[in-house]
Amino acid sequence: MATEQRPEPPSSRPHAPERPGGRGPRLRRLGARTSEVFQGLGAALTTPSAPGTPLLADASSRWVRLLPYAVALAFVSALLPSTVVLLIGDYGVNGALAGAVGTAQTLPLLLAVARPLQAWWIVFTADVLGALVLLGADGTRAEYWPWPPPILVGYCALMVALGLRESRRALFGVWLATGVAGYVLEAFRPAGYTSVHTLLLVLSGVLLLLTSAVRARGDVQRRLAEQETISEAERARRTLLEERARIARELHDVVAHHMSVITVQAESAPYRVPGLPDAAREEFTSIAASARESLTEMRRLLSVLRSDGGEGERAPQPGLDRLQQLVEATVRAGVPAELRLAADVGEVPQAVGLSAYRIVQEALANVVRHAPGASTRVSVRADDGRLTVLVVNGPATEARSPVEHGAAGTGHGLVGMRERVRLTGGTLDTGPLPDGGFRVAARLPLAPDPVPSAAPAPVTGRAGAAGPDTEGPAGGPVPATTSEDPE
């Protein structure tokens, strides 16, 4: 009769220690990692970081770019004859052999300016072979092993070039190879010689560490500068897009009114004008439908521009009739401003009036911010079919607050003015006055151009000469000015 085999209960005894054979997988993993490390070091030692690019190649001055070559030439000129003389006189090496070894150990320093890793391979090989040559030397004044003092100096100079150019892995490989070669040659040190391989190992390590830190700091500063440039360009682009969106919203409010009037007139024409033929009625119906469709498309576009969730402005858009209120508000802010509005301006298109108002608003805001207490004149006149808007501020009479003094500005002022004169086809003239003041002049056409121009509105004068802050009428702080009207 077959008996049922029951599973044995788990043993409560502690597990026996792993047999020596169980360390096989861990040893294999350790060996694989070690192999990967040495493969990485080998790849780093055979792959230069920036082959052919000289040290200080990014310097703006030609003399600075030539400085590494001059230093390398000075080292070669000093080390080559001293090495040859030392090998012949102290170590008793044959003259021809000493010349060949000295040349191979020092001349590659010129190559180290542009290709330091390749130069290191040549110098390192020449140093090892030179140490082997010294084994057969019979000089009576030989003291140092395995490298004479000139070789130490040249090798340290080569470490500086390597540290300023190559990767940390390559530098570690160089330092490791230097130490291994030195300690291997130490086993063959002749009697009476003083060992210097430990000194070279310490000096090379310190130099590689310091120069690599300097190079890393330079790389970080360069990347920060590049990032700041990219951020500044992105900020300018974002400012331009924001200002265009703002102008588009205001333009919608201006155009929507006229389109609504067209729609109402087209729909009511058949009732207001009796006896219209059927063709005229159909034409008015088509005009009303096209106007309604245009309004729908504009509102859809406006909803995209206002997708930030903000409530749209429901107040009527300002024009020239609101300039007096704007100037009065500026006076209440502490700026003695006055307005000269010509009586013969006449009827101004709504888009032109809105642009003129915004330009004056930006200019006065900049005076309040950067030249508190400055006497300011605002003049508006119409001549030759153009509306001329001129804003000139006087000398500041109050000190700027620390907050405003350190503010960088949003950059909307000058960008907004340019976009508005571009919208109307006008011109913008901004720049400092001879006495250190500032002037903003905009000329906006009262009649629309028959063919809209896609080119940006011309901007004359030195618009950016006032400073780095692009807030307000000239993209910078408004300095003290003369009170004379430069018209």
Side-chain angles (χ1 to χ4, degrees):
M1 178 178 179
T3 59
E4 181 181 3
Q5 295 183 358
R6 297 180 181 178
E8 296 182 359
S11 177
S12 60
R13 293 179 301 175
H15 292 285
E18 191 179 23
R19 295 181 178 179
R23 294 197 297 268
R26 285 181 292 180
L27 291 177
R28 284 194 295 270
R29 288 195 297 269
L30 181 60
R33 292 178 182 176
T34 305
S35 177
E36 291 178 358
V37 170
F38 280 100
Q39 287 178 1
L41 290 177
L45 289 175
T46 55
T47 307
S49 297
T53 304
L55 295 172
L56 304 181
D58 298 333
S60 58
S61 175
R62 180 172 178 267
W63 298 107
V64 175
R65 293 195 299 268
L66 293 177
L67 181 61
Y69 291 98
V71 174
L73 183 60
F75 270 101
V76 172
S77 302
L79 296 178
L80 178 56
S82 61
T83 301
V84 174
V85 170
L86 184 66
L87 291 178
I88 296 175
D90 291 359
Y91 290 86
V93 180
N94 179 267
L97 185 57
V101 171
T103 301
Q105 291 175 336
T106 58
L107 194 60
L109 292 178
L110 294 174
L111 178 64
V113 175
R115 300 179 183 272
L117 192 58
Q118 291 89 330
W120 174 80
W121 277 108
I122 299 174
V123 172
F124 179 74
T125 305
D127 288 349
V128 173
L129 294 178
L132 298 178
V133 170
L134 296 183
L135 287 175
D138 55 356
T140 58
R141 292 181 295 176
E143 298 181 3
Y144 301 103
W145 174 266
W147 298 295
I151 304 305
L152 295 179
V153 176
Y155 200 84
C156 290
L158 182 58
M159 294 300 102
V160 173
L162 278 170
L164 293 176
R165 179 57 53 82
E166 301 301 327
S167 64
R168 292 182 178 179
R169 178 174 292 185
L171 299 182
F172 178 73
V174 168
W175 182 77
L176 186 62
T178 302
V180 171
Y183 282 105
V184 169
L185 292 174
E186 173 67 13
F188 303 95
R189 177 163 58 99
Y193 280 58
T194 302
S195 176
V196 295
H197 70 278
T198 303
L199 175 63
L200 178 60
L201 185 63
V202 172
L203 289 177
S204 61
V206 171
L207 290 174
L208 291 176
L209 184 62
L210 292 178
T211 52
S212 63
V214 172
R215 179 178 58 84
R217 184 173 182 272
D219 292 342
V220 171
Q221 291 179 342
R222 183 166 53 254
R223 285 194 295 267
L224 286 176
E226 293 175 356
Q227 187 62 37
E228 289 177 357
T229 302
I230 296 174
S231 300
E232 184 65 23
E234 184 62 25
R235 175 175 171 269
R237 178 178 175 273
R238 184 173 63 252
T239 300
L240 178 62
L241 294 179
E242 290 175 357
E243 189 63 25
R244 286 185 176 180
R246 177 186 175 190
I247 295 174
R249 289 193 294 266
E250 296 177 350
L251 184 62
H252 163 268
D253 298 336
V254 173
V255 178
H257 166 72
H258 298 290
M259 296 297 295
S260 300
V261 173
I262 293 173
T263 303
V264 172
Q265 290 178 342
E267 289 181 340
S268 63
Y271 303 98
R272 293 183 290 101
V273 182
L276 283 178
D278 294 340
R281 292 176 180 272
E282 293 178 358
E283 188 69 22
F284 279 118
T285 302
S286 176
I287 292 174
S290 299
R292 282 195 301 271
E293 183 178 357
S294 299
L295 283 173
T296 302
E297 293 294 333
M298 290 183 62
R299 292 190 181 102
R300 185 178 296 113
L301 178 60
L302 186 64
S303 65
V304 174
L305 295 176
R306 286 175 175 165
S307 59
D308 55 356
E311 291 290 335
E313 297 180 1
R314 293 180 173 85
Q317 294 297 335
L320 296 182
D321 55 337
R322 299 275 297 277
L323 286 180
Q324 184 62 39
Q325 301 177 16
L326 181 62
V327 172
E328 291 175 357
T330 305
V331 172
R332 288 194 296 271
V335 176
E338 60 175 321
L339 172 65
R340 297 179 181 179
L341 181 59
D344 57 349
V345 172
E347 189 69 20
V348 176
Q350 190 171 359
V352 175
L354 175 60
S355 298
Y357 178 88
R358 294 301 186 194
I359 290 173
V360 174
Q361 185 181 40
E362 294 286 355
L364 292 179
N366 200 63
V367 173
V368 173
R369 181 177 296 108
H370 300 293
S375 176
T376 306
R377 291 184 180 183
V378 180
S379 63
V380 180
R381 71 175 189 273
D383 54 359
D384 297 332
R386 288 180 175 269
L387 183 70
T388 301
V389 180
L390 183 65
V391 181
V392 179
N393 68 283
T397 59
E398 301 177 9
R400 292 174 56 190
S401 65
V403 175
E404 291 295 344
H405 184 75
T410 60
H412 286 271
L414 184 59
V415 174
M417 291 183 184
R418 286 177 175 172
E419 289 300 309
R420 291 185 185 280
V421 298
R422 179 180 179 181
L423 172 67
T424 58
T427 59
L428 179 66
D429 182 7
T430 61
L433 296 175
D435 295 336
F438 214 86
R439 171 179 182 267
V440 175
R443 294 174 178 83
L444 310 176
L446 296 175
D449 294 336
V451 180
S453 176
V459 180
T460 61
R462 293 178 291 173
D469 190 344
T470 58
E471 180 77 10
V478 180
T481 67
T482 177
S483 60
E484 296 181 0
D485 194 330
E487 294 181 279

